[in-house]
Amino acid sequence: MTLSSSQAVDVLRAAGEPSRLRILALLAREELAVLEICRVLDQSQPRVSRHLKLLAEAGLVERFPDGAWVFYRLTGDGAAAALVAEVLGAIDPADSALYRDAERLSAVWAERATDAGEYFARNAARWDEIRSLYVSDADVEAAILAAAGPGPFKRLVDLGSGTGRMLTLLAPHAEAALGLDLSQQMLNLARNRVTEAGLEGCELRHGDIFATRLPGESADLVVVHQVLHYLADPAAAVKEAARIVAPGGKLIIADFAPHRLEFLREQHQHRRLGFAEPEMARWLTGAGLSKVRITALPPTEKNGLTVMIWTAERARERQRQAA
């Protein structure tokens, strides 16, 4: 798809204002809430919202409500997105305004990381109890086992393994298993748990879901269980998880359907209040996976949360060649 000359002018006009260009540069790093953009730019919400409206009308950014918050991200594809990428790529990385914005965004990231680290450290010992307040673990685990299939699996990778429940559930069906988590407290609990379960060949490692450093296409089962709603860039985490999936392997994601329980954001460090089916399907297929299947588990309590299980596969080599 290409742009007409008038469309190109509209795109460049929308991007060709200092604050709007700064916003595009920020959103090239991650999706952000309106108030976070205000904080980095040190501008009022009405002013930032006006800039975002113009960028959205030009097709350069996407707006998506999430409970009481509103997030923005760069438009994922198309000629307009390609043109913006060219413009941003031509800017000097040492540009003073963008460098200052990047430093302020880093401060926002650091604050988020500190808050999250304190939360997980504070609640590590009660983690399974806290989880049980929102979802029937037995139903979710049964659905995950069904989605995974009987195995055996050569290599299982659990990203954001928490207390290690997915490892104790799935590692008995795997020759080797690896759990990654950023919280040392969670890793300590997970180590105790897998040891008590008598699991051999199960490794726990400090690691980042955005940059696992694992070889591409190296695991025939990858699991991301109740992790994405804590993350600033869940799409990037899905892409990294998909990168690890071997030909013929599966990625299983368990998380919440969209909801409006703001107290989870305020008290429990949830950044996103669930994920819509089309959004997740777009991320999975965009990461090179196919055969996306969905299982919805409605809550047993009146004000509970619906848990979604997404399963996607990487085609085998001969299937890729045939396609």
Side-chain angles (χ1 to χ4, degrees), residues 159-160 180-182 205-214 231 237 240 244:
L159 299 179
L180 266 66
D181 205 289
L182 275 176
R205 188 187 302 175
H206 186 265
D208 187 347
I209 194 172
F210 295 113
T212 63
R213 301 183 181 180
L214 297 176
L231 304 180
E240 174 66 1
I244 303 167

Side-chain angles (χ1 to χ4, degrees), residues 271-289:
R271 180 168 172 82
R272 291 286 303 275
L273 300 185
F275 300 93
E277 293 181 22
E279 178 179 46
M280 187 67 73
R282 185 170 68 251
W283 292 347
L284 290 167
T285 56
L289 303 185

Side-chain angles (χ1 to χ4, degrees), residues 112-178:
R112 278 193 217 138
T114 297
D115 290 345
E118 291 176 352
Y119 172 77
F120 290 124
R122 190 168 59 248
N123 290 287
R126 300 179 55 239
W127 193 243
D128 293 334
E129 174 191 345
I130 291 170
R131 280 262 174 82
S132 69
L133 297 176
Y134 315 128
V135 60
S136 168
D137 283 341
D139 290 344
V140 172
E141 291 171 5
I144 289 173
L145 284 171
F153 309 106
K154 291 183 179 179
R155 185 166 175 80
L156 160 70
V157 173
D158 180 21
L159 299 179
S161 53
T163 61
R165 179 54 191 144
M166 289 299 101
L167 291 173
T168 57
L169 181 71
L170 295 167
H173 309 284
E175 295 176 15
L178 170 67

Side-chain angles (χ1 to χ4, degrees), residues 219-258:
D220 50 349
L221 182 59
V222 180
V223 181
V224 183
H225 175 252
Q226 297 292 9
V227 174
L228 295 183
H229 56 256
Y230 292 107
L231 304 180
D233 194 351
V238 171
K239 184 177 181 179
E240 174 66 1
R243 184 187 66 81
I244 303 167
V245 178
K250 293 180 180 178
L251 169 60
I252 298 176
I253 295 174
D255 219 294
F256 298 124

Side-chain angles (χ1 to χ4, degrees), residues 171-172 174-177 194-195 197-203:
E175 295 176 15
V194 299
T195 298
L199 294 173
E200 297 180 0
C202 189
E203 179 185 359

